Amino acid sequence: MGDLDIRTAVAEDIPAIVGMLADDPLGAQREAPDDLAPYLGALERISADPNQHLVVAVRGGRLVGTLQLTVIPGLSRRGATRSIIEGVRIHADERGSGLGTLFIEWAIDESRRQGCQLVQLTSDASRIDAHRFYERLGFTASHVGFKLEI
Amino acid sequence: MGDLDIRTAVAEDIPAIVGMLADDPLGAQREAPDDLAPYLGALERISADPNQHLVVAVRGGRLVGTLQLTVIPGLSRRGATRSIIEGVRIHADERGSGLGTLFIEWAIDESRRQGCQLVQLTSDASRIDAHRFYERLGFTASHVGFKLEI
């Protein structure tokens, strides 16, 4: 399998990241891998914000996963800082390999290093396997996640 | 009722904000209004981050509401920027007055001004009235929200 490296994403990673975002039942309808300009613009906004950590998992020189960790200082829970995990994708060839577990455990450890007391994420109600996966990692499905397109 | 003003929170607002955070069935167990130091430290972290907008609603010189809006640039959905609304509280005296609707509509408008294409939030599964409220405002309860204390 080779060693796994988790590092900050750079512009050269964008085609492979967008490929993973689109290779998904929900992502296929939302992404446009034939036009990378909006993604490169977004990477600039992400890279300019020290509380955003867009990372890739690399094995044997190949991108096999991506996720974005956002650190959010807040007042509630006695001034707790929380992290939010978004945009988790594991390459189709690596699903079931344990990479997802390693990757989310990395995100939890990184949240701790960033001073967070809480990690949170939302998962589309249709992703039943993902829900089981997060519960196995210790997450509690305590909330309802609402979205509004504007 | 007097005019409603929505403005950025400052240190002098912290006692009233923490009072509202604690005046809630869930918040009562989590907050410590008798020790404001952790909240003042959190306000410094929030104020140092240009993507955090901790605001208060003020009517007739009294704080009647608070929420935090976080702007998160991202790659998915063709490089969409999203906002997250957290820590929404309306003063007990103002519940049912329509202030909640005005306040969330303000947060949606502010998200648009900040270049967001998506607004999201999570609400504890026990807050059934809040769920109806967000659905009336156009939000879709499409996701499951997971949390992990670390």
Side-chain angles (χ1 to χ4, degrees), chain A residues 14 17-18 21 29-32 38-40 42-43 45-46 49 51-52 54 66 68 70-84 86-87 89 108 111-112 116-126 130-132 134-135 137-150, chain B residues 14 17-18 21 29-32 38-40 42-43 45-46 49 51-52 54 66 68 70-84 86-87 89 108 111-112 116-126 130-132 134-135 137-150:
Chain A
I14 289 293
I17 295 175
V18 176
L21 291 174
Q29 304 158 41
R30 292 178 190 153
E31 307 303 338
Y39 298 97
L40 290 164
L43 179 64
R45 291 191 289 276
I46 293 167
D49 180 344
N51 280 335
Q52 307 299 334
L54 177 70
T66 181
Q68 182 174 347
T70 300
V71 175
I72 304 184
L75 280 193
S76 59
R77 297 171 183 249
R78 307 182 195 194
T81 296
R82 63 187 75 198
S83 69
I84 294 189
E86 279 279 357
R89 290 293 187 284
I108 295 167
S111 299
R112 219 174 260 124
C116 299
Q117 286 91 51
L118 190 67
V119 182
Q120 60 189 57
L121 59 90
T122 67
S123 180
D124 191 280
S126 67
H131 303 174
R132 288 199 201 100
Y134 290 118
E135 287 184 321
L137 284 166
F139 285 84
T140 305
S142 53
H143 282 61
V144 180
F146 291 86
K147 287 190 201 277
L148 174 70
E149 290 182 39
I150 60 174
Chain B
I14 289 293
I17 295 175
V18 175
L21 291 174
Q29 304 158 42
R30 293 177 188 152
E31 308 303 337
Y39 298 97
L40 290 164
L43 179 65
R45 292 190 288 277
I46 292 167
D49 180 344
N51 281 333
Q52 306 299 334
L54 177 70
T66 180
Q68 182 174 345
T70 300
V71 175
I72 304 185
L75 281 192
S76 58
R77 298 171 182 248
R78 307 183 196 193
T81 296
R82 64 187 74 200
S83 69
I84 293 187
E86 281 278 356
R89 291 291 187 284
I108 294 168
S111 300
R112 219 175 260 125
C116 299
Q117 287 91 48
L118 190 68
V119 182
Q120 60 189 57
L121 59 90
T122 66
S123 179
D124 192 281
S126 68
H131 303 174
R132 288 199 201 100
Y134 291 119
E135 288 184 320
L137 284 167
F139 285 84
T140 305
S142 53
H143 282 61
V144 180
F146 291 87
K147 287 189 199 278
L148 174 71
E149 288 183 38
I150 60 176

Side-chain angles (χ1 to χ4, degrees), chain B residues 99-120:
Chain B
L99 170 61
T101 299
L102 281 177
F103 208 19
I104 298 297
E105 284 174 347
W106 175 89
I108 294 168
D109 287 345
E110 180 63 24
S111 300
R112 219 175 260 125
R113 282 190 289 273
Q114 300 273 341
C116 299
Q117 287 91 48
L118 190 68
V119 182
Q120 60 189 57

Side-chain angles (χ1 to χ4, degrees), chain A residues 85-117:
Chain A
I85 302 174
E86 279 279 357
V88 181
R89 290 293 187 284
I90 302 295
H91 194 284
D93 298 349
E94 292 262 346
R95 286 174 203 157
S97 72
L99 171 60
T101 300
L102 281 176
F103 207 19
I104 298 297
E105 285 175 346
W106 175 88
I108 295 167
D109 287 345
E110 181 64 24
S111 299
R112 219 174 260 124
R113 281 189 291 272
Q114 300 273 342
C116 299
Q117 286 91 51

